Structure formats: C-alpha cells, structure tokens
Amino acid sequence: MKKDLRINSSVFSEGSMKAPNRAMLRAVGVTDEDFKKPMIGIASTWSEVTPCNIHINDLATSAKMGAREAGGVPLIFNTITVSDGISMGTQGMRYSLPSRDVIADSIETVVGAESLDGLVAIGGCDKNIPGCMIAIANAEVPAVFVYGGTISPGVHNGKDIDIVSVFEGVGQHNSGKIDNDELRSIECKACPGAGSCGGMYTANTMASAVEAMGMSLPGSASNPAESKDKERDCSAAGEAVYHLLEKDIYPRDIMTKKAFENAITVVMALGGSTNAILHLLSIAHAAQVDLTIDDFNRIQEKTPHLADLKPSGQYVMQDLHRVGGVQAVMKLLFEAGYLHGDCITVTGKTVAENLADAPSLEEGQKVIMPFDNPKRTDGPLIVLKGNLSPSGAVAKVSGVKVKQHTGPARVFNTEKDATTAVLENEINEGDVLVIRYVGPKGGPGMPEMLSVSSLLVGKGLGEKVALLTDGRFSGGTHGLVVGHIAPEAQVGGPIALLKEGDLVTIDSDKKDISFNVSDLELEKRRTDWEAPALYKKGVLGKYAHNVSCSSKGAVTDFLNKS
C-alpha cells in the first residue's frame, strides 16, 4: 500500500463528522481526490512595501506548482514583512525585530490551525528568513525554506552601488563632499528592481546560513531574485517537501548542533552580518538546540574570512552567484575540513552527498580569496565581554584596521540625539559614541543604527570614532562599531551606568569591552539609577514585556527564556 502522507490533515479528510470542515475546503478548490493527499502550505511574504518581497507572489505560485506536481495539495497563505531600509533612522525601526516574531507566530498559527502536513516558506527581507525558520522549528512538519533572492546592483558613474551607498552618501553630503544632484543620482540608481539588499548584509547572510544548515535546496541562497533559477528553486522546493514527507524527515532531524556549526562557519567565511548571531541563536532556541553566544567565538577562531563582499569588500551577492555561489563556497570549505559532511539536508541526502556533484568556484575568480591569502585568518564576527557587557556584545571587525580603541564616552539615550550631535560636528576623533536604551526591551525592539554609523563613515570618522549600543546594526554597517551590548540599559546593565567622559576600551584582539570604573563606583551609581517605564502599548508593548536578552537571541517564548 502507498504510504499515507496526511500526518495532520487526516483529522478532517475522512469521516462524516468532518463533512463541514471539508465543505470549507471544497470552496477553495479541494476535490475528493485531493483529500487523499497531503496538504502543503506555501507561506508567502509577498508585499508591495519593499523591493525585497515585491516578486514573491510569483515565486509562491511556482512553489505551488511544484508541490502539486509532486502529489500534494498546495495552499498559499500570506504573512507580513516590513522594510528595514525604509524604517531605518525612524521610530518605525523599532518594529523591525519584533516583525521576526510576528512572522514566525503567524506561519506557525496557520500550519497548526489548518492541520497542514508540510510547509514551503518563502522569505526576502531581513526578518523574513529567521521568522520563517523559527516557524519551521515550531510547526514541526516537513519543511523547506526558499530565499526570494538578491537584488541586482545599481550602477553610478560606472561603479556598482546599493542601498548602503545611499546611507553613506548622506554623510558625504553632510560633509560637503558631494552636492544635492550627486546624492539624488545615487538615491535614484541604488535599487534597480526586485530582491533583497545586494551585499553580504543580513538577508544574504541568513539565506547563506540556512542553505549551509541544510534547510534550503543546494545552490538556492545565491540565485538572484529576478532569474529563472529562482523560479526553479521554488518549484523544486514544493517537490522536495513532498519527498521529505515520504522519507519522514522533519526540520529537527536537519537542524542539529552540527548543522548550526556549519551555518556559523559559512557566515564567518562569507563575512556575514552581526545579526546572524542574534537570529541563529533564536532559531536554535526554537529548535531546542544547545547553541550559545560563546559558540560563535569558538568557530570564529578557526574559520578564515574568505569573501571580498560588501560592506567590507568590493563585490555583491550577484557576483558570488556568477562564480559558483554559496554552494561552491561550501564545497571549498568542506574539502578543507571546515564543515560537517554527515548532516542530513532537505534533499534527503547529506551535506557531503550534495557537495559531491556541486560546482567548484570558477577558475580565476576574485570574489572568494584562497586559504593562503584570506581577508582574515579568522572570522570577522566576534563576541566581546567585559565589565561593560558581561553577557556579551557583538562586533564585525572585517576591514577595520583599528584593533584597540580607548576614548571618552559620549553618552546619548536616543538615536535622534546622537545623530544630531554627529550632524552638528559635536563628535570628535577618538570619542566613543554610546547610544543606549535601544535594546530589545528598551527600544523597544532593538532598532538598527545604520543611519548614524553610515553618517560617521560618510564623514570620514568610521574608524576614528567608536560607536557602541545595546541596539543592533544593519548587515550593511561597517566601521568601529559594537552592538548587542548585554545586559541592556533598560534592565540595568552596566551600559546604563556609563557617564559622559568615562574612558571606554574596545580591544578586538582580547575580545574585551570595558570602562575604567571600579566595582565600588558602579554599585554607588546603581543605587542612583532608576529603570525607565517599560513600553506598554500594542505590539511593541507585548514585545518589551516578553523579549529575552539579546545574548539569548531576543526570543519571546517561554522555553528556557531568561
């Protein structure tokens, strides 16, 4: 007998008692024959609010066709997305990280409520990917993630540009380096079509991590948004979910500790976003994998940074695609002994089996450096600890020549005030610019500080002023920056006790972040400190009251949360 793949939907597929349930589905086109097949959800993050997701309707249709042809009954449903690039530097940025959890909860809700048997989740913008992956871990049905793909670079004066070029252009304009017409030209050319931001920023970083983890089909992370390859990714994902049902392979069979180590290794080699640490911790939490912030330093110390990709290099994701893509990088790393080859993947095969027939990097390419001449001999994402951040802070040191910086703290409790100080030339070389009370609870929502960091870079202060925050940074951020400082100011972390002029030291070699204040003085300051009122209204209020520390992934459920 043919195996019954209706692991959940059988609760309404048969029997007279469930006739009303089936009646509802008949109205959307489900037939008698269909009720004998598995129901496969296609979670689409399509939206017109961002170029990252504008094309995902069509991709969802391709996934639906693939699932149908394989033998399933596909049903498309939608969830939200927000655009980090549009909300950046505004109060809207507080909603970005919480949207990850809204996405995760909404997908899990539909899969659970509709008793679906399998899932294809298609994401584009930064929070879509971890949101989909948290949902996949919690929904506990066979699933495949598909990345919507990278945008093509814009071209200005014969050079490739992207959204970060515009943010940095604002700093150049403020410094008088470019005029209004030049800034407008950059603005109008930076984003030429559909797809997620083109450098090794957060979306491309997380897509690469998910492929390395084995939860996306091989080669799919680097296929551009507007390509036939991306359409084929989606169709193949629909088929793959059906075969996962046949083979009884579930997400937690794939998302093991070794799989997360593969993901971190690829992120380090590619020079990925600081947000990868936050998101991988949150996905591991949902999958009940024992991953900690200290695991990142362990892998960082033994993994070379090989990719010459933006924001700290020359190339974009589409260039990596042309020379072999993420799969070719994985093959290079695997053959050199950096990846676990025995991890099972959504193909039903192991990493080693998938890579056996994978393409190698194109001969003579310059996007990925050789092992004997890497960008760095170790990974570019580091976790720093010290009396300023006992639970850990995150820095991206690729391309940063300054290894150690000590300077006076210039303390601001809002991003707006800090930005004004930079624009009015009140921040000087050697300063340590601190933006606090913008952590997961304090923001609330842990907003990204790309606007102010880009201003510093555009004004020529990227490595002359250190920028510290309990908030986050965009994957496009580069320079002397440290984020995710934990515990955050809102809960009384040491960053809340900093005073103007305190000497702060960041030492990337020692992985230390500290300030020259004695324990006795800190205790005295603590007695005078009072926590600001926690935000209470709507989504942000719910988030502020439930979210964990950033060093735990800023998770919002109650599974071993602290």
Side-chain angles (χ1 to χ4, degrees):
M1 289 179 61
K2 188 175 180 181
K3 182 179 178 181
D4 189 351
L5 304 182
R6 300 172 299 172
I7 59 174
N8 292 321
S9 65
S10 60
V11 298
F12 58 70
S13 294
E14 296 178 355
S16 58
M17 287 294 294
K18 295 299 185 287
N21 309 60
R22 294 193 296 275
M24 296 289 288
L25 285 166
R26 290 183 190 280
V28 299
V30 179
T31 66
D32 284 343
E33 188 62 30
D34 288 337
F35 284 118
K36 301 173 185 177
K37 301 173 182 178
M39 301 280 180
I40 296 173
I42 312 294
S44 168
T45 56
W46 171 80
S47 176
E48 292 184 338
V49 303
T50 172
C52 308
N53 297 64
I54 189 68
H55 62 306
I56 287 179
N57 247 356
D58 293 336
L59 298 183
T61 300
S62 295
K64 180 176 181 177
M65 291 173 61
R68 171 68 74 179
E69 290 171 5
V73 180
L75 302 166
I76 296 175
F77 64 93
N78 288 85
T79 185
I80 67 154
T81 188
V82 300
S83 170
D84 290 4
I86 296 171
S87 63
M88 196 72 68
T90 74
Q91 287 295 294
M93 190 65 212
R94 298 179 300 164
Y95 289 89
S96 170
L97 187 58
S99 79
R100 180 189 76 181
D101 296 71
V102 175
I103 291 164
D105 292 348
S106 63
I107 294 174
E108 180 193 347
T109 297
V110 174
V111 173
E114 301 297 315
S115 300
L116 299 177
D117 304 303
L119 174 65
V120 176
I122 310 171
C125 202
D126 295 6
K127 307 310 174 295
N128 298 178
I129 303 172
C132 288
M133 291 302 299
I134 292 168
I136 284 170
N138 285 328
E140 298 183 319
V141 298
V144 176
F145 174 78
V146 186
Y147 178 40
T150 184
I151 195 172
S152 297
V155 179
H156 176 68
N157 292 337
K159 294 182 178 180
D160 286 350
I161 61 170
D162 58 20
I163 188 63
V164 175
S165 308
V166 191
F167 279 103
E168 293 178 1
V170 174
Q172 294 167 342
H173 181 265
N174 178 254
S175 299
K177 296 177 183 177
I178 61 175
D179 60 17
N180 289 335
D181 290 341
E182 179 77 355
L183 180 59
R184 176 174 168 75
S185 182
I186 295 170
E187 172 190 336
C188 293
K189 295 174 181 177
C191 300
S196 299
C197 299
M200 190 46 63
Y201 309 145
T202 302
N204 282 326
T205 296
M206 291 308 301
S208 303
V210 173
E211 180 174 332
M213 194 187 300
M215 285 302 302
S216 289
L217 291 172
S220 62
S222 41
N223 286 335
E226 297 180 302
S227 69
K228 291 294 182 183
D229 288 334
K230 186 52 60 184
E231 291 179 25
R232 286 190 287 269
D233 289 341
C234 293
S235 177
E239 295 177 26
V241 169
Y242 188 88
H243 297 314
L244 289 172
L245 280 162
E246 290 179 315
K247 297 173 182 177
D248 282 321
I249 297 175
Y250 286 74
R252 290 189 186 177
D253 298 322
I254 298 169
M255 296 162 67
T256 63
K257 180 68 175 279
K258 283 184 174 181
F260 278 93
E261 289 178 343
N262 283 348
I264 295 168
T265 298
V266 168
V267 167
M268 293 292 179
L270 291 177
S273 165
T274 52
N275 283 312
I277 295 180
L278 191 75
H279 295 325
L280 288 171
L281 285 170
S282 68
I283 298 166
H285 177 85
Q288 295 182 264
V289 170
D290 183 23
L291 187 73
T292 73
I293 197 168
D294 295 322
D295 286 313
F296 289 83
N297 271 351
R298 174 174 58 83
I299 295 171
Q300 177 269 338
E301 290 167 1
K302 63 182 182 181
T303 306
H305 177 196
L306 302 176
D308 191 16
L309 292 166
K310 290 186 176 186
S312 53
Q314 302 179 62
Y315 300 103
V316 295
M317 191 66 152
Q318 187 162 293
D319 296 315
L320 178 59
H321 166 71
R322 291 187 181 120
V323 302
V326 172
Q327 192 180 23
V329 175
M330 288 181 63
K331 184 171 186 175
L332 181 75
L333 292 168
F334 173 65
E335 290 176 346
Y338 288 97
L339 297 180
H340 302 293
D342 57 346
C343 296
I344 197 71
T345 74
V346 290
T347 64
K349 299 178 181 179
T350 64
V351 168
E353 289 170 329
N354 287 341
L355 294 176
D357 298 322
S360 298
L361 286 165
E362 185 180 283
E363 191 171 346
Q365 60 81 31
K366 297 181 180 179
V367 181
I368 303 297
M369 310 294 286
F371 286 111
D372 60 1
N373 185 32
K375 293 273 286 184
R376 281 177 61 96
T377 57
D378 56 4
L381 300 182
I382 61 173
V383 175
L384 305 96
K385 291 187 177 181
N387 70 343
L388 186 56
S389 185
S391 299
V394 178
K396 184 174 181 179
V397 295
S398 53
V400 179
K401 297 176 182 177
V402 178
K403 305 292 185 184
Q404 196 260 11
H405 180 98
T406 298
R410 304 295 309 281
V411 183
F412 298 89
N413 292 341
T414 69
E415 180 186 6
K416 181 180 179 182
D417 288 345
T419 301
T420 299
V422 174
L423 288 171
E424 294 182 357
N425 300 314
E426 295 174 2
I427 304 301
N428 304 308
E429 290 186 20
D431 284 348
V432 177
L433 178 60
V434 178
I435 306 175
R436 64 187 180 187
Y437 294 104
V438 289
K441 288 181 176 293
M446 206 179 178
E448 293 178 352
M449 302 291 125
L450 176 62
S451 291
V452 65
S453 67
S454 297
L455 276 175
L456 291 171
V457 171
K459 290 170 74 70
L461 296 172
E463 294 193 26
K464 297 173 182 176
V465 170
L467 173 57
L468 311 186
T469 182
D470 51 5
R472 297 182 296 123
F473 289 108
S474 162
T477 298
H478 60 108
L480 189 55
V481 299
V482 181
H484 306 202
I485 290 176
E488 62 175 293
Q490 179 69 42
V491 300
I495 190 174
L497 309 179
L498 260 178
K499 289 187 176 180
E500 187 84 4
D502 285 344
L503 285 180
V504 177
T505 295
I506 305 106
D507 191 321
S508 61
D509 286 336
K510 294 180 179 179
K511 296 177 180 171
D512 176 75
I513 181 167
S514 57
F515 61 133
N516 69 332
V517 177
S518 68
D519 291 343
L520 188 63
E521 172 64 17
L522 283 179
E523 284 307 311
K524 182 181 177 182
R525 292 183 186 183
R526 188 173 297 283
T527 61
D528 297 329
W529 176 81
E530 186 175 342
L534 205 59
Y535 197 89
K536 294 180 179 179
K537 185 174 181 291
V539 170
L540 294 179
K542 294 174 188 175
Y543 190 82
H545 282 78
N546 286 289
V547 69
S548 77
C549 179
S550 60
S551 64
K552 302 286 186 182
V555 298
T556 54
D557 62 24
F558 290 87
L559 179 68
N560 301 320
K561 179 169 69 68
S562 60

mmCIF file of all heavy atoms in Angstrom, residues 128-165:
data_model
loop_
_atom_site.group_PDB
_atom_site.id
_atom_site.type_symbol
_atom_site.label_atom_id
_atom_site.label_comp_id
_atom_site.label_asym_id
_atom_site.label_seq_id
_atom_site.Cartn_x
_atom_site.Cartn_y
_atom_site.Cartn_z
ATOM 1 N N ASN A 128 12.337 38.182 7.510
ATOM 2 C CA ASN A 128 11.557 37.077 6.943
ATOM 3 C C ASN A 128 12.240 35.736 7.170
ATOM 4 O O ASN A 128 11.597 34.739 7.494
ATOM 5 C CB ASN A 128 11.393 37.223 5.427
ATOM 6 C CG ASN A 128 10.654 38.452 4.976
ATOM 7 O OD1 ASN A 128 10.508 38.678 3.779
ATOM 8 N ND2 ASN A 128 10.190 39.274 5.896
ATOM 9 N N ILE A 129 13.557 35.726 6.970
ATOM 10 C CA ILE A 129 14.269 34.453 6.970
ATOM 11 C C ILE A 129 14.288 33.826 8.366
ATOM 12 O O ILE A 129 13.817 32.691 8.543
ATOM 13 C CB ILE A 129 15.683 34.607 6.380
ATOM 14 C CG1 ILE A 129 15.584 35.195 4.959
ATOM 15 C CG2 ILE A 129 16.419 33.263 6.369
ATOM 16 C CD1 ILE A 129 16.907 35.582 4.339
ATOM 17 N N PRO A 130 14.771 34.537 9.397
ATOM 18 C CA PRO A 130 14.683 33.925 10.722
ATOM 19 C C PRO A 130 13.248 33.715 11.178
ATOM 20 O O PRO A 130 12.950 32.739 11.880
ATOM 21 C CB PRO A 130 15.429 34.920 11.621
ATOM 22 C CG PRO A 130 15.412 36.208 10.873
ATOM 23 C CD PRO A 130 15.468 35.833 9.431
ATOM 24 N N GLY A 131 12.336 34.611 10.784
ATOM 25 C CA GLY A 131 10.936 34.425 11.141
ATOM 26 C C GLY A 131 10.390 33.123 10.575
ATOM 27 O O GLY A 131 9.739 32.342 11.279
ATOM 28 N N CYS A 132 10.653 32.876 9.298
ATOM 29 C CA CYS A 132 10.222 31.624 8.673
ATOM 30 C C CYS A 132 10.875 30.415 9.339
ATOM 31 O O CYS A 132 10.234 29.389 9.554
ATOM 32 C CB CYS A 132 10.560 31.637 7.182
ATOM 33 S SG CYS A 132 9.556 32.740 6.169
ATOM 34 N N MET A 133 12.149 30.551 9.682
ATOM 35 C CA MET A 133 12.873 29.420 10.259
ATOM 36 C C MET A 133 12.416 29.106 11.687
ATOM 37 O O MET A 133 12.352 27.948 12.091
ATOM 38 C CB MET A 133 14.370 29.686 10.225
ATOM 39 C CG MET A 133 14.962 29.675 8.826
ATOM 40 S SD MET A 133 14.691 28.112 7.968
ATOM 41 C CE MET A 133 15.540 26.983 9.065
ATOM 42 N N ILE A 134 12.093 30.129 12.466
ATOM 43 C CA ILE A 134 11.530 29.891 13.802
ATOM 44 C C ILE A 134 10.189 29.177 13.666
ATOM 45 O O ILE A 134 9.886 28.236 14.406
ATOM 46 C CB ILE A 134 11.378 31.224 14.569
ATOM 47 C CG1 ILE A 134 12.751 31.806 14.897
ATOM 48 C CG2 ILE A 134 10.564 31.029 15.842
ATOM 49 C CD1 ILE A 134 12.707 33.246 15.398
ATOM 50 N N ALA A 135 9.385 29.617 12.700
ATOM 51 C CA ALA A 135 8.093 28.970 12.455
ATOM 52 C C ALA A 135 8.276 27.513 12.048
ATOM 53 O O ALA A 135 7.556 26.622 12.518
ATOM 54 C CB ALA A 135 7.329 29.724 11.371
ATOM 55 N N ILE A 136 9.242 27.254 11.182
ATOM 56 C CA ILE A 136 9.515 25.887 10.733
ATOM 57 C C ILE A 136 9.888 25.004 11.924
ATOM 58 O O ILE A 136 9.430 23.860 12.049
ATOM 59 C CB ILE A 136 10.618 25.893 9.659
ATOM 60 C CG1 ILE A 136 10.038 26.367 8.307
ATOM 61 C CG2 ILE A 136 11.272 24.523 9.514
ATOM 62 C CD1 ILE A 136 11.080 26.639 7.241
ATOM 63 N N ALA A 137 10.721 25.546 12.819
ATOM 64 C CA ALA A 137 11.118 24.772 14.000
ATOM 65 C C ALA A 137 9.925 24.491 14.908
ATOM 66 O O ALA A 137 9.798 23.392 15.459
ATOM 67 C CB ALA A 137 12.201 25.519 14.766
ATOM 68 N N ASN A 138 9.034 25.460 15.057
ATOM 69 C CA ASN A 138 7.897 25.300 15.959
ATOM 70 C C ASN A 138 6.734 24.529 15.356
ATOM 71 O O ASN A 138 5.982 23.866 16.074
ATOM 72 C CB ASN A 138 7.407 26.671 16.432
ATOM 73 C CG ASN A 138 8.327 27.289 17.467
ATOM 74 O OD1 ASN A 138 8.953 26.579 18.251
ATOM 75 N ND2 ASN A 138 8.411 28.610 17.487
ATOM 76 N N ALA A 139 6.568 24.603 14.031
ATOM 77 C CA ALA A 139 5.431 23.937 13.391
ATOM 78 C C ALA A 139 5.585 22.419 13.356
ATOM 79 O O ALA A 139 4.602 21.683 13.341
ATOM 80 C CB ALA A 139 5.248 24.471 11.974
ATOM 81 N N GLU A 140 6.814 21.966 13.292
ATOM 82 C CA GLU A 140 7.123 20.532 13.362
ATOM 83 C C GLU A 140 6.436 19.714 12.268
ATOM 84 O O GLU A 140 5.863 18.657 12.523
ATOM 85 C CB GLU A 140 6.778 19.982 14.750
ATOM 86 C CG GLU A 140 7.590 20.619 15.865
ATOM 87 C CD GLU A 140 7.305 20.018 17.230
ATOM 88 O OE1 GLU A 140 6.124 19.748 17.531
ATOM 89 O OE2 GLU A 140 8.254 19.824 18.005
ATOM 90 N N VAL A 141 6.493 20.233 11.042
ATOM 91 C CA VAL A 141 6.112 19.455 9.862
ATOM 92 C C VAL A 141 7.271 19.532 8.878
ATOM 93 O O VAL A 141 8.064 20.478 8.921
ATOM 94 C CB VAL A 141 4.813 19.988 9.203
ATOM 95 C CG1 VAL A 141 3.626 19.887 10.147
ATOM 96 C CG2 VAL A 141 4.986 21.411 8.693
ATOM 97 N N PRO A 142 7.425 18.549 7.994
ATOM 98 C CA PRO A 142 8.481 18.632 6.983
ATOM 99 C C PRO A 142 8.395 19.963 6.235
ATOM 100 O O PRO A 142 7.306 20.414 5.866
ATOM 101 C CB PRO A 142 8.188 17.442 6.076
ATOM 102 C CG PRO A 142 7.564 16.437 6.996
ATOM 103 C CD PRO A 142 6.700 17.260 7.919
ATOM 104 N N ALA A 143 9.547 20.594 6.034
ATOM 105 C CA ALA A 143 9.534 21.960 5.506
ATOM 106 C C ALA A 143 10.814 22.275 4.755
ATOM 107 O O ALA A 143 11.875 21.701 5.010
ATOM 108 C CB ALA A 143 9.342 22.963 6.644
ATOM 109 N N VAL A 144 10.704 23.243 3.837
ATOM 110 C CA VAL A 144 11.838 23.787 3.092
ATOM 111 C C VAL A 144 11.708 25.306 3.089
ATOM 112 O O VAL A 144 10.610 25.838 2.878
ATOM 113 C CB VAL A 144 11.878 23.276 1.640
ATOM 114 C CG1 VAL A 144 13.018 23.933 0.862
ATOM 115 C CG2 VAL A 144 12.018 21.765 1.600
ATOM 116 N N PHE A 145 12.812 25.994 3.335
ATOM 117 C CA PHE A 145 12.829 27.449 3.187
ATOM 118 C C PHE A 145 13.394 27.817 1.823
ATOM 119 O O PHE A 145 14.366 27.212 1.360
ATOM 120 C CB PHE A 145 13.680 28.113 4.274
ATOM 121 C CG PHE A 145 13.813 29.596 4.052
ATOM 122 C CD1 PHE A 145 12.762 30.447 4.381
ATOM 123 C CD2 PHE A 145 14.948 30.139 3.461
ATOM 124 C CE1 PHE A 145 12.854 31.813 4.134
ATOM 125 C CE2 PHE A 145 15.048 31.502 3.216
ATOM 126 C CZ PHE A 145 13.994 32.337 3.557
ATOM 127 N N VAL A 146 12.787 28.828 1.191
ATOM 128 C CA VAL A 146 13.293 29.359 -0.074
ATOM 129 C C VAL A 146 13.535 30.855 0.085
ATOM 130 O O VAL A 146 12.656 31.594 0.527
ATOM 131 C CB VAL A 146 12.311 29.143 -1.248
ATOM 132 C CG1 VAL A 146 12.964 29.578 -2.555
ATOM 133 C CG2 VAL A 146 11.863 27.703 -1.342
ATOM 134 N N TYR A 147 14.720 31.271 -0.268
ATOM 135 C CA TYR A 147 15.070 32.695 -0.244
ATOM 136 C C TYR A 147 14.590 33.358 -1.520
ATOM 137 O O TYR A 147 14.794 32.834 -2.620
ATOM 138 C CB TYR A 147 16.589 32.816 -0.114
ATOM 139 C CG TYR A 147 17.146 34.222 -0.124
ATOM 140 C CD1 TYR A 147 16.511 35.270 0.537
ATOM 141 C CD2 TYR A 147 18.350 34.494 -0.776
ATOM 142 C CE1 TYR A 147 17.054 36.549 0.541
ATOM 143 C CE2 TYR A 147 18.906 35.762 -0.768
ATOM 144 C CZ TYR A 147 18.253 36.789 -0.111
ATOM 145 O OH TYR A 147 18.795 38.050 -0.111
ATOM 146 N N GLY A 148 13.970 34.545 -1.364
ATOM 147 C CA GLY A 148 13.473 35.267 -2.536
ATOM 148 C C GLY A 148 14.557 35.774 -3.458
ATOM 149 O O GLY A 148 14.295 36.103 -4.615
ATOM 150 N N GLY A 149 15.790 35.854 -2.967
ATOM 151 C CA GLY A 149 16.911 36.191 -3.834
ATOM 152 C C GLY A 149 17.383 37.625 -3.709
ATOM 153 O O GLY A 149 16.686 38.520 -3.232
ATOM 154 N N THR A 150 18.603 37.827 -4.177
ATOM 155 C CA THR A 150 19.260 39.122 -4.062
ATOM 156 C C THR A 150 18.894 40.067 -5.204
ATOM 157 O O THR A 150 18.603 39.631 -6.325
ATOM 158 C CB THR A 150 20.794 38.932 -4.027
ATOM 159 O OG1 THR A 150 21.430 40.187 -3.827
ATOM 160 C CG2 THR A 150 21.306 38.341 -5.339
ATOM 161 N N ILE A 151 18.908 41.348 -4.913
ATOM 162 C CA ILE A 151 18.692 42.386 -5.918
ATOM 163 C C ILE A 151 19.962 42.535 -6.771
ATOM 164 O O ILE A 151 21.064 42.210 -6.320
ATOM 165 C CB ILE A 151 18.366 43.726 -5.223
ATOM 166 C CG1 ILE A 151 17.782 44.754 -6.187
ATOM 167 C CG2 ILE A 151 19.595 44.293 -4.509
ATOM 168 C CD1 ILE A 151 17.270 46.018 -5.482
ATOM 169 N N SER A 152 19.810 42.992 -7.976
ATOM 170 C CA SER A 152 20.973 43.340 -8.797
ATOM 171 C C SER A 152 21.541 44.665 -8.302
ATOM 172 O O SER A 152 20.805 45.512 -7.777
ATOM 173 C CB SER A 152 20.571 43.485 -10.267
ATOM 174 O OG SER A 152 20.094 42.263 -10.776
ATOM 175 N N PRO A 153 22.844 44.879 -8.457
ATOM 176 C CA PRO A 153 23.403 46.167 -8.027
ATOM 177 C C PRO A 153 22.954 47.296 -8.947
ATOM 178 O O PRO A 153 22.675 47.089 -10.124
ATOM 179 C CB PRO A 153 24.915 45.942 -8.132
ATOM 180 C CG PRO A 153 25.070 44.860 -9.155
ATOM 181 C CD PRO A 153 23.869 43.973 -8.998
ATOM 182 N N GLY A 154 22.873 48.500 -8.395
ATOM 183 C CA GLY A 154 22.700 49.674 -9.224
ATOM 184 C C GLY A 154 24.052 50.107 -9.770
ATOM 185 O O GLY A 154 25.097 49.611 -9.337
ATOM 186 N N VAL A 155 24.047 51.005 -10.712
ATOM 187 C CA VAL A 155 25.305 51.484 -11.305
ATOM 188 C C VAL A 155 25.305 53.005 -11.303
ATOM 189 O O VAL A 155 24.358 53.647 -11.762
ATOM 190 C CB VAL A 155 25.490 50.956 -12.746
ATOM 191 C CG1 VAL A 155 26.785 51.493 -13.333
ATOM 192 C CG2 VAL A 155 25.491 49.433 -12.764
ATOM 193 N N HIS A 156 26.379 53.579 -10.771
ATOM 194 C CA HIS A 156 26.538 55.036 -10.733
ATOM 195 C C HIS A 156 27.984 55.374 -11.082
ATOM 196 O O HIS A 156 28.922 54.871 -10.462
ATOM 197 C CB HIS A 156 26.194 55.572 -9.339
ATOM 198 C CG HIS A 156 26.415 57.040 -9.173
ATOM 199 N ND1 HIS A 156 25.649 57.981 -9.822
ATOM 200 C CD2 HIS A 156 27.337 57.736 -8.446
ATOM 201 C CE1 HIS A 156 26.067 59.186 -9.484
ATOM 202 N NE2 HIS A 156 27.095 59.077 -8.668
ATOM 203 N N ASN A 157 28.150 56.184 -12.104
ATOM 204 C CA ASN A 157 29.489 56.552 -12.581
ATOM 205 C C ASN A 157 30.362 55.328 -12.854
ATOM 206 O O ASN A 157 31.554 55.311 -12.563
ATOM 207 C CB ASN A 157 30.192 57.472 -11.566
ATOM 208 C CG ASN A 157 29.531 58.835 -11.464
ATOM 209 O OD1 ASN A 157 28.847 59.279 -12.388
ATOM 210 N ND2 ASN A 157 29.717 59.510 -10.330
ATOM 211 N N GLY A 158 29.718 54.294 -13.420
ATOM 212 C CA GLY A 158 30.447 53.097 -13.806
ATOM 213 C C GLY A 158 30.768 52.138 -12.673
ATOM 214 O O GLY A 158 31.424 51.121 -12.881
ATOM 215 N N LYS A 159 30.276 52.441 -11.449
ATOM 216 C CA LYS A 159 30.562 51.580 -10.298
ATOM 217 C C LYS A 159 29.267 51.005 -9.735
ATOM 218 O O LYS A 159 28.226 51.666 -9.742
ATOM 219 C CB LYS A 159 31.289 52.373 -9.203
ATOM 220 C CG LYS A 159 32.684 52.840 -9.595
ATOM 221 C CD LYS A 159 33.356 53.567 -8.430
ATOM 222 C CE LYS A 159 34.765 53.999 -8.788
ATOM 223 N NZ LYS A 159 35.428 54.715 -7.657
ATOM 224 N N ASP A 160 29.332 49.755 -9.226
ATOM 225 C CA ASP A 160 28.177 49.146 -8.582
ATOM 226 C C ASP A 160 27.880 49.865 -7.271
ATOM 227 O O ASP A 160 28.789 50.173 -6.495
ATOM 228 C CB ASP A 160 28.438 47.671 -8.286
ATOM 229 C CG ASP A 160 28.397 46.816 -9.547
ATOM 230 O OD1 ASP A 160 27.981 47.331 -10.600
ATOM 231 O OD2 ASP A 160 28.778 45.631 -9.466
ATOM 232 N N ILE A 161 26.606 50.139 -7.038
ATOM 233 C CA ILE A 161 26.181 50.742 -5.776
ATOM 234 C C ILE A 161 24.972 49.982 -5.241
ATOM 235 O O ILE A 161 24.352 49.183 -5.952
ATOM 236 C CB ILE A 161 25.836 52.245 -5.925
ATOM 237 C CG1 ILE A 161 24.668 52.436 -6.912
ATOM 238 C CG2 ILE A 161 27.048 53.043 -6.337
ATOM 239 C CD1 ILE A 161 24.121 53.850 -6.910
ATOM 240 N N ASP A 162 24.638 50.231 -3.971
ATOM 241 C CA ASP A 162 23.470 49.608 -3.354
ATOM 242 C C ASP A 162 22.903 50.550 -2.311
ATOM 243 O O ASP A 162 23.306 51.716 -2.224
ATOM 244 C CB ASP A 162 23.825 48.232 -2.763
ATOM 245 C CG ASP A 162 24.945 48.316 -1.728
ATOM 246 O OD1 ASP A 162 25.183 49.412 -1.187
ATOM 247 O OD2 ASP A 162 25.571 47.276 -1.470
ATOM 248 N N ILE A 163 21.985 50.054 -1.492
ATOM 249 C CA ILE A 163 21.288 50.917 -0.543
ATOM 250 C C ILE A 163 22.253 51.538 0.470
ATOM 251 O O ILE A 163 22.071 52.686 0.895
ATOM 252 C CB ILE A 163 20.159 50.138 0.171
ATOM 253 C CG1 ILE A 163 19.294 51.077 1.035
ATOM 254 C CG2 ILE A 163 20.707 48.999 0.995
ATOM 255 C CD1 ILE A 163 18.564 52.142 0.276
ATOM 256 N N VAL A 164 23.302 50.814 0.854
ATOM 257 C CA VAL A 164 24.258 51.362 1.815
ATOM 258 C C VAL A 164 25.005 52.549 1.205
ATOM 259 O O VAL A 164 25.388 53.488 1.910
ATOM 260 C CB VAL A 164 25.226 50.276 2.308
ATOM 261 C CG1 VAL A 164 26.305 50.866 3.226
ATOM 262 C CG2 VAL A 164 24.456 49.194 3.055
ATOM 263 N N SER A 165 25.191 52.534 -0.116
ATOM 264 C CA SER A 165 25.820 53.673 -0.793
ATOM 265 C C SER A 165 25.024 54.953 -0.562
ATOM 266 O O SER A 165 25.597 56.047 -0.452
ATOM 267 C CB SER A 165 25.919 53.408 -2.301
ATOM 268 O OG SER A 165 26.531 52.176 -2.584
#
